[in-house]
Amino acid sequence: QYFWNHPTKGRIRVHCGGTRDTAYKDGIRIQGTHQDISGINRELTQVNERNQTILNAIPVGVAVIRYDPDGHTEPEFISEGFASLIGMSRQEAWKLYGTDAMFGVHPDDKEKLQRKLNDFFGGTEETISLVYRLSYGNDGYITVKNNFTLMQSEDGVKRGYAVYQDMTQELKERERLRQQYQE
């Protein structure tokens, strides 16, 4: 997709698509189309704004994470619920996580989590559930459960739709019950 200055419409967004003509043997020939998608993008922007409003209203943490082939993960959306879950404002969360979704992961959990994400994004599974520690404001870490769903867009970019839950209290309760049972 690219922008183009149309002689009568002005600046428009164009989608270029095509396939290789395998019958052509004297080199490479591409057969393709160019389509004005400016109106479609405006509609999608409005849908995305409505979706973001809905996602921000959900009390659990929600994020959309883009996965690059080199393993880098970068958020495209962080909900108010996610920011609240980690003890920050949405602006603070964007400041810290805006270019690296792994920023707040506990150092002892990072390598294992990155390996699992690489396997997930490179594999065939559509969902995965991950439990790891994530920084909580300036007060240490909380344990989160991240239910991750994979979506691949038409442009080939892989995105994970993440729903975060704070597992800290549940894990403490499990440990208390385990200790009580042992006693």
Side-chain angles (χ1 to χ4, degrees):
Q1 294 182 17
Y2 57 92
F3 288 102
W4 181 60
N5 288 322
H6 188 278
T8 57
K9 294 182 182 179
R11 186 175 165 101
I12 64 169
R13 188 171 189 94
V14 177
H15 174 76
C16 175
T19 58
R20 183 176 179 181
D21 180 356
T22 56
Y24 186 74
K25 301 297 182 199
D26 294 333
I28 297 175
R29 180 167 56 191
I30 305 293
Q31 295 177 331
T33 61
H34 296 266
Q35 179 183 10
D36 178 0
I37 60 168
S38 301
I40 294 170
N41 277 349
R42 278 191 299 272
E43 291 170 16
L44 288 176
T45 299
Q46 291 170 353
V47 168
N48 284 339
E49 288 171 359
R50 282 194 303 269
N51 287 345
Q52 288 182 16
T53 300
I54 292 167
L55 290 174
N56 276 325
I58 296 173
V60 296
V62 178
V64 177
I65 310 295
R66 186 181 74 238
Y67 179 83
D68 294 331
D70 66 357
H72 178 73
T73 53
E74 188 172 321
E76 293 183 340
F77 173 78
I78 295 174
S79 74
E80 294 286 348
F82 175 79
S84 177
L85 180 79
I86 61 171
M88 297 180 180
S89 70
R90 195 161 175 227
Q91 292 77 16
E92 291 169 324
W94 268 113
K95 188 175 181 182
L96 294 178
Y97 290 91
T99 58
D100 183 5
M102 298 286 281
F103 178 83
V105 175
H106 191 282
D108 294 343
D109 297 346
K110 253 185 190 173
E111 186 178 323
K112 183 179 176 182
L113 179 61
Q114 187 66 61
R115 200 170 43 252
K116 285 183 177 184
L117 285 173
N118 289 344
D119 290 347
F120 173 65
F121 279 107
T124 58
E125 297 294 320
E126 292 182 4
T127 61
I128 189 173
S129 185
L130 305 163
V131 177
Y132 53 94
R133 291 169 287 178
L134 202 53
S135 62
Y136 181 83
N138 295 324
D139 298 330
Y141 291 87
I142 60 169
T143 302
V144 296
K145 181 178 182 181
N146 179 351
N147 293 310
F148 222 68
T149 302
L150 177 66
M151 300 293 276
Q152 186 160 348
S153 61
E154 290 179 8
D155 60 4
V157 174
K158 292 183 178 182
R159 289 177 175 84
Y161 292 83
V163 178
Y164 297 86
Q165 294 173 275
D166 185 351
M167 298 294 291
T168 307
Q169 294 305 320
E170 183 176 327
L171 292 174
K172 284 180 182 177
E173 180 63 18
R174 285 183 194 174
E175 182 57 35
R176 187 190 67 74
L177 290 172
R178 186 178 10 254
Q179 188 70 25
Q180 185 178 2
Y181 176 76
Q182 287 177 353
E183 291 173 1

